Amino acid sequence: MEPLISMTILHPKQSYQGGDLLEGELQVDAVPVGSIQSIETTVLWYTEGKGDEDFGVHFFERRLQEDMVDGDLRELHRFSTILPLSPLSYEGFILKIRWCVRTRVFLQDGRSTLFEEPFQLGSVAPISENTVAEPKAGFSMTDTVRDEAATDTKPSHPPESPLPDSSPKVGADQ
Amino acid sequence: MSGNASNPFATRFTKPGAIDFQFPCGDSAEQLIERLSKNDWRGEIVGPHGSGKSTLLACILPILRERFPRLWLGKIAGGQRTLCEATEQPNWATAGLVVIDGYEQLSWWTRFKAKLSANMNSCGLLVTCHESVGFPEIFRTNPTPALVKKLAHELQNGSSVQITSAEVAQCYQQHSQNIREAMFAMYDLFEQKRQPHRSG
């Protein structure tokens, strides 16, 4: 039988900020006492998209059966970590940066089971066509540029566009 | 649809090793390795760009490693002309089998030395290439539109956003039957479909 992993992020937020405390608890059921060799809990980020993948581990904890007084790793266990300032969660078109809490249970018979709980760090808005600003007032368009604007969405001289606000919003809880 | 769900055509789901190699009817990894064995562990996997050669290697490597625990694998990156540029050189005396992915990118001299080293050490040599380089051909990758449609269907299993079979065929055709590039195109199309206000 596969172990049943119950993992919960305590006091969940729509998005966390760097310096926030991330707390969670997990419990394993549906397997007998002594059947679990170890449990690993990781808070990590990873990239996803079209290019090469990357990941970084922020928090890692491995608990072994012999570490437990009664040898029972199934019991409710709480973990916590202070989240870093970066990298922030990002839902881009080509690249996405995602954060999650990952728990892996290793059984004595060699099998393992994985469970992930995603969360968001920061509030970075993805770039969209709507973030491209209109040309400034008073800008004189030549006939050539005007024709380009009429037939193509990309002007020959890109106008200034405000960058998306990627800085964490202090105190901006859900 | 939530933008946080994974794109089924992201690299993590389509890279060599993440996706199973689809053998044509009547063939299998075991039969391929049997052919390699009968050719004294010398052979080439031939196929055009993005046709699945690296994916096929990822499929058979675990079986080969059981036979050759010290197997050496080298993936030749663009512009790399010698094996010395790899993180470590193969130990021809102990490897048992050397696998070179992208063999024809190596210089003539490096290829000559590799063959000489393999012969002198009775070491097997399996390579991938776009055109034959003179080894016994043990497999030729030959993707078809039907195969790409099947892969796309499997990758999208359960997704509320779907790329149609016609769109898959179009992506494949537009990229000169290069599955890798077609997957990239399908990635873009999937993103556009689920978040139409955003562009790449």
Side-chain angles (χ1 to χ4, degrees):
Chain A
M1 180 176 281
E2 291 291 322
L4 180 63
I5 302 173
S6 302
M7 185 167 66
T8 308
I9 293 178
L10 301 175
H11 319 298
K13 297 179 181 180
Q14 191 171 9
S15 70
Y16 291 84
Q17 307 301 323
D20 281 354
L21 177 67
L22 178 75
E23 290 181 288
E25 57 185 24
L26 69 96
Q27 187 172 334
V28 182
D29 295 297
V31 287
V33 175
S35 62
I36 301 174
Q37 184 183 64
S38 64
I39 298 179
E40 293 179 352
T41 303
T42 313
V43 176
L44 70 145
W45 60 268
Y46 61 93
T47 62
E48 189 175 284
K50 287 173 73 172
D52 291 339
E53 297 171 287
D54 197 2
F55 73 96
V57 175
H58 170 70
F59 168 86
F60 178 80
E61 174 187 75
R62 177 186 287 134
R63 293 181 295 130
L64 305 174
Q65 189 184 45
E66 47 264 38
D67 294 337
M68 309 301 289
V69 174
D70 54 359
D72 191 357
L73 283 166
R74 302 172 305 168
E75 294 178 349
L76 187 70
H77 172 74
R78 189 170 284 197
F79 58 90
S80 64
T81 184
I82 300 294
L83 293 173
L85 294 175
S86 67
L88 301 179
S89 300
Y90 181 67
E91 286 294 313
F93 192 94
I94 295 176
L95 170 72
K96 302 170 199 304
I97 301 174
R98 295 186 171 158
W99 281 87
C100 70
V101 182
R102 179 181 291 170
T103 290
R104 193 187 292 270
V105 176
F106 295 89
L107 300 178
Q108 299 285 3
D109 61 10
R111 292 179 296 145
S112 68
T113 302
L114 180 73
F115 183 85
E116 286 185 1
E117 184 67 42
F119 66 91
Q120 176 145 340
L121 181 65
S123 307
V124 178
I127 294 176
S128 69
E129 290 180 7
N130 297 331
T131 64
V132 177
E134 293 294 323
K136 290 181 178 178
F139 177 74
S140 174
M141 296 172 69
T142 64
D143 289 340
T144 303
V145 174
R146 189 179 298 118
D147 290 338
E148 283 180 344
T151 59
D152 192 354
T153 56
K154 297 179 182 178
S156 56
H157 301 288
E160 290 181 15
S161 59
L163 294 175
D165 181 13
S166 61
S167 60
K169 295 178 178 61
V170 178
D173 291 344
Q174 58 171 337
Chain B
M1 175 187 173
S2 166
N4 291 336
S6 290
N7 185 317
F9 301 100
T11 306
R12 67 187 300 205
F13 303 117
T14 60
K15 65 183 178 182
I19 195 168
D20 290 333
F21 186 82
Q22 307 281 331
F23 283 93
C25 186
D27 206 350
S28 66
E30 289 75 18
Q31 289 177 288
L32 184 155
I33 292 172
E34 181 67 24
R35 290 195 291 275
L36 183 62
S37 170
K38 287 181 178 176
N39 282 288
D40 205 22
W41 300 102
R42 301 292 169 89
E44 60 186 29
I45 296 172
V46 189
H49 289 279
S51 62
K53 298 187 298 296
S54 297
T55 298
L56 173 56
L57 267 188
C59 172
I60 64 174
L61 272 174
I63 307 173
L64 290 173
R65 285 191 194 279
E66 286 183 5
R67 174 68 185 257
F68 303 101
R70 293 187 174 186
L71 178 153
W72 186 92
L73 169 67
K75 184 166 177 61
I76 308 303
Q80 183 180 339
R81 301 287 288 167
T82 70
L83 294 178
C84 299
E85 294 172 52
T87 52
E88 57 180 70
Q89 295 189 51
N91 187 329
W92 297 95
T94 62
L97 177 67
V98 168
V99 181
I100 302 176
D101 189 5
Y103 182 77
E104 81 266 86
Q105 296 180 68
L106 297 172
S107 67
W108 173 88
W109 178 239
T110 299
R111 282 185 272 157
F112 174 79
K113 286 195 297 180
K115 280 189 277 190
L116 185 63
S117 297
N119 289 338
M120 290 174 61
N121 292 278
S122 300
C123 181
L125 185 56
L126 172 63
V127 304
T128 70
C129 46
H130 299 131
E131 299 287 341
S132 177
V133 291
F135 289 104
E137 180 180 305
I138 60 163
F139 197 90
R140 180 172 288 267
T141 53
N142 186 23
T144 62
L147 170 64
V148 179
K149 285 179 188 175
K150 184 180 180 218
L151 291 174
H153 177 73
E154 289 176 356
L155 286 167
Q156 294 183 100
N157 186 28
S159 171
S160 57
V161 173
Q162 292 283 319
I163 294 177
T164 65
S165 293
E167 289 168 329
V168 171
Q170 187 178 19
C171 288
Y172 185 57
Q173 196 61 36
Q174 283 176 345
H175 292 86
S176 306
Q177 303 174 337
N178 182 323
I179 298 180
R180 181 171 54 238
E181 292 297 321
M183 290 287 182
F184 285 155
M186 284 186 270
Y187 175 97
D188 291 344
L189 188 55
F190 187 93
E191 286 294 312
Q192 287 165 6
K193 282 194 167 194
R194 71 169 173 178
Q195 304 218 30
H197 63 281
R198 289 171 49 193
S199 62

